[in-house]
Amino acid sequence: MSKFLLSVHVLAAVLAVGPVAVAASMFPAAVRKGNLEIARMLHRICRVYAYAAIAVPVFGFGVAGMMHVMGDPWLLVSIGLTAVAAAVLAVLVLPRQRRLLTEESTSDKLGRLAMVTGVFNLLWAAVTVLMIVRPGSSTGA
């Protein structure tokens, strides 16, 4: 059962978080080029897949419970970083994208959006590394 949960957890991360990271990164360039149709599609991808990405921590908690690692520091840090990444997406990235679709964009607004999108992506990169390396893990992986 733990292999199944781990598989679903990893697939959810790849298939849900991956598209959000890519679409969010492409959004500022689409707006900068004046291609609002593409920008709207990228924003929609971010919104829809953000909901799908909820499966990542849900199945992650299942995996952690089965592996008996709920109190391990690497997991607690990963949970915290995941929460911060979700907040950055929900509070900073998505609302800024929505605003840029409805009002005149400036390079300053696009620059800030690109910056917070980069922070979002860096947070997920850090979580991915922690999930693979698992500092202090006794599994040797």
Side-chain angles (χ1 to χ4, degrees):
M1 183 61 147
S2 63
K3 289 181 182 181
F4 171 76
L5 288 176
L6 180 59
S7 297
V8 174
H9 172 65
V10 171
L11 282 170
V14 170
L15 298 175
V17 177
V20 173
V22 172
S25 296
M26 294 172 65
F27 182 90
V31 172
R32 190 174 293 116
K33 292 177 183 175
N35 198 336
L36 293 183
E37 187 174 323
I38 296 290
R40 279 187 198 88
M41 179 192 63
L42 293 169
H43 176 62
R44 184 162 191 240
I45 289 169
C46 290
R47 273 192 353 259
V48 170
Y49 280 80
Y51 286 110
I54 294 169
V56 177
V58 169
F59 285 98
F61 279 116
V63 172
M66 294 197 88
M67 293 176 65
H68 308 289
V69 295
M70 285 298 284
D72 287 9
W74 64 269
L75 182 66
L76 297 175
V77 171
S78 293
I79 291 168
L81 291 174
T82 299
V84 172
V88 167
L89 181 64
V91 175
L92 299 174
V93 175
L94 292 174
R96 288 179 185 200
Q97 286 181 346
R98 188 174 46 251
R99 268 185 257 128
L100 282 166
L101 289 172
T102 59
E103 56 186 55
E104 188 69 27
S105 63
T106 65
S107 61
D108 185 44
K109 289 179 185 177
L110 284 171
R112 278 185 252 157
L113 175 59
M115 179 190 68
V116 296
T117 299
V119 168
F120 170 77
N121 289 334
L122 284 172
L123 288 165
W124 276 114
V127 170
T128 302
V129 169
L130 284 170
M131 290 289 128
I132 294 168
V133 175
R134 298 176 300 180
S137 172
S138 60
T139 63

